[in-house]
Amino acid sequence: MTSSWADRRPVATRVSAAEAVFTDLRQAIESGDLPVGERLPSEAALGERYAVSRSVVREALRSCTALGLTETRTGRGTFVVSSTASHDLKVGEYTARELMEARPHIEIPAAGWAAERRSAEDLRQLTELTQAMAAESNQTDWVALDGQFHLAITRASGNRVFQNALVNIRNSLTAQSATLNLATGRMRRSNEEHERIVEAISSGDRQAAERAMADHLDAVQVAVRSLTH
């Protein structure tokens, strides 16, 4: 283990625990303090270093892996494999590029149909989800709500093809959302974008709903590119 990094204590900042761990690890890898080929300390050791739980460490390591900086090898641990972020996030079964190419064909029309077909119960659920996200400060819990929100829109569309398509990519969407929140702090902006989508669906304006969803997906794509370029 590189002594300079191991001996240096992380600086406390006003961010979530997982974000602080992720930021410190990423900076150490990109600066060369943790060189390519280095095996990271165990989750327990990292938890002790940062005074956080193993689940927080695990969340940060997942984001490092999504960026292509680290790789976990069964029975051997987690190793640094690159000092620069990949040009495409690895998020579960799919990549960020694959998600961003597919999502507009699923979620934009789904939002439009939801504006025309949504029921009172659909609107209640969407409103409750946006309120819960606005009040949520825990990133892991917020990401779970985010997944429920996007799935609820496809249900409100009344089209099971859209719904099943989103279910298929849901795990990758969750992984991407978690990484973006750790690396770019998009929770507040996403909340605002979600609220505009729900307002458009509630108004029954199909074009406005499609436009609001398109704006949201464009913002997500910009955030992804900021990590990989």
Side-chain angles (χ1 to χ4, degrees):
M1 179 57 54
T2 305
S3 60
S4 62
W5 179 82
D7 295 337
R8 186 174 68 248
R9 304 304 297 176
V11 178
T13 55
R14 296 179 64 85
V15 296
S16 74
E19 186 177 349
V21 175
F22 167 72
T23 299
D24 186 65
L25 286 173
R26 182 181 183 183
Q27 290 175 346
I29 292 169
E30 292 182 335
S31 68
D33 284 344
L34 288 173
V36 172
E38 189 85 26
R39 186 176 71 174
L40 297 185
S42 67
E43 290 180 359
L46 286 172
E48 183 176 349
R49 166 183 165 80
Y50 294 106
V52 298
S53 68
R54 290 180 66 174
S55 63
V56 168
V57 170
R58 202 171 296 123
E59 185 178 350
L61 290 176
R62 277 197 296 264
S63 293
C64 287
T65 298
L67 286 176
L69 299 173
T70 61
E71 176 182 278
T72 299
R73 300 167 185 169
T74 304
R76 297 183 60 194
T78 299
F79 293 79
V80 178
V81 295
S82 177
S83 61
T84 57
S86 168
H87 289 301
D88 197 8
L89 292 181
K90 303 171 184 176
V91 282
E93 184 179 355
Y94 303 102
T95 67
R97 175 188 59 78
E98 290 173 321
L99 292 180
M100 293 315 304
E101 288 176 355
R103 290 182 72 183
H105 301 287
I106 302 168
E107 297 192 70
I108 292 175
W113 284 115
E116 293 191 354
R117 296 171 175 168
R118 81 288 186 277
S119 66
E121 176 62 15
D122 290 328
L123 288 178
R124 183 190 67 78
Q125 290 180 355
L126 288 169
T127 299
E128 288 183 354
L129 284 167
T130 55
Q131 291 173 344
M133 281 186 281
E136 185 57 69
S137 58
N138 181 281
Q139 290 184 333
T140 301
D141 292 340
W142 186 94
V143 166
L145 291 169
D146 183 40
Q148 294 176 39
F149 173 79
H150 284 274
L151 188 58
I153 290 175
T154 62
R155 282 199 301 268
S157 76
N159 187 312
R160 290 177 298 166
V161 174
F162 291 143
Q163 184 177 343
N164 290 337
L166 205 68
V167 168
N168 181 273
I169 63 175
R170 186 173 182 179
N171 289 340
S172 288
L173 290 178
T174 296
Q176 177 176 275
S177 180
T179 297
L180 287 181
N181 282 321
L182 283 188
T184 68
R186 259 192 54 79
M187 281 172 56
R188 182 184 60 79
R189 286 173 302 218
S190 286
N191 287 340
E192 295 170 353
E193 292 158 12
H194 290 165
E195 288 172 3
R196 287 195 287 272
I197 293 169
V198 174
E199 288 173 1
I201 290 175
S202 178
S203 72
D205 188 330
R206 180 174 181 172
Q207 290 185 340
E210 291 179 344
R211 186 165 55 250
M213 179 61 79
D215 289 345
H216 174 54
L217 295 182
D218 285 346
V220 170
Q221 187 168 31
V222 168
V224 169
R225 286 177 175 170
S226 74
L227 289 180
T228 58
H229 290 82

